[in-house]
């Protein structure tokens, strides 16, 4: 998906008001985690003579790395829910593929199946 397409999607969705009682806690947590990783990278942007930024220690970097698996899992859940909603609203796999920046309906369907498999493995404790 191009940068312009992503911005158009943001603009379109930003006008939607949450329904009363909507739980957007997961999305907010992912947003917060992304922000924290961004702050770490900004803080680590400058380097001292020994190649490290004062105030950013390896434990900080490790903490940021530790956030990714949780963010990935939550994003997979959100993507799966949106694909389910798209199908429920009559979108076919080709339409979904276009919006995901994929080249075919088969690619979109396979992506969905991989997400479902991954989430089921997480649920069962396999991952």
């Amino acid at each position: 998906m191009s940068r312009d397409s992503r911005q158009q999607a943001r603009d379109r969705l930003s006008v939607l008001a949450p329904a009363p009682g909507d739980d957007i806690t997961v999305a907010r947590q992912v947003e917060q985690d992304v922000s924290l990783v961004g702050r770490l990278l900004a803080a680590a942007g400058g380097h001292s003579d020994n190649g490290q930024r004062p105030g950013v220690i390896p434990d900080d970097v490790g903490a940021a790395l530790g956030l990714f698996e949780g963010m990935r899992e939550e994003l997979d859940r959100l993507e799966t829910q949106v694909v389910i909603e798209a199908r429920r609203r009559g979108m076919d796999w080709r339409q979904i593929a276009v919006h995901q920046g994929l080249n075919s309906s088969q690619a979109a369907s396979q992506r969905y199946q991989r997400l479902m498999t991954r989430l089921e493995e997480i649920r069962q404790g396999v991952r």
Side-chain angles (χ1 to χ4, degrees):
M1 184 180 262
S2 72
R3 191 173 296 208
D4 290 340
S5 297
R6 287 191 300 265
Q7 188 55 51
Q8 288 174 350
R10 286 183 192 105
D11 293 346
R12 180 178 192 90
L13 296 174
S14 67
V15 300
L16 296 175
D22 266 0
D23 182 26
I24 55 176
T25 308
V26 170
R28 287 213 172 115
Q29 185 62 58
V30 171
E31 180 181 33
Q32 180 182 19
D33 289 350
V34 168
S35 177
L36 291 170
V37 169
R39 289 171 57 187
L40 168 88
L41 292 174
H47 300 287
S48 65
D49 292 337
N50 65 2
Q52 296 190 9
R53 173 81 179 187
V56 175
I57 61 173
D59 285 347
D60 297 334
V61 176
L65 288 170
L67 295 176
F68 282 96
E69 188 57 30
M71 286 190 290
R72 199 171 284 114
E73 181 181 339
E74 294 306 331
L75 287 172
D76 287 352
R77 278 187 213 291
L78 290 170
E79 183 175 356
T80 300
Q81 290 172 344
V82 172
V83 170
I84 290 168
E85 187 62 26
R87 295 290 292 157
R88 193 171 74 94
R89 295 191 179 259
M91 290 177 73
D92 62 34
W93 287 110
R94 181 73 190 138
Q95 292 170 304
I96 293 168
V98 168
H99 290 288
Q100 289 180 315
L102 301 172
N103 292 325
S104 69
S105 56
Q106 182 181 7
S109 177
Q110 288 173 343
R111 179 178 177 145
Y112 172 74
Q113 288 303 316
R114 281 192 303 275
L115 288 170
M116 292 296 291
T117 299
R118 183 173 187 276
L119 291 171
E120 182 60 22
E121 288 173 350
I122 290 168
R123 189 187 72 72
Q124 292 179 1
V126 176
R127 281 189 182 220

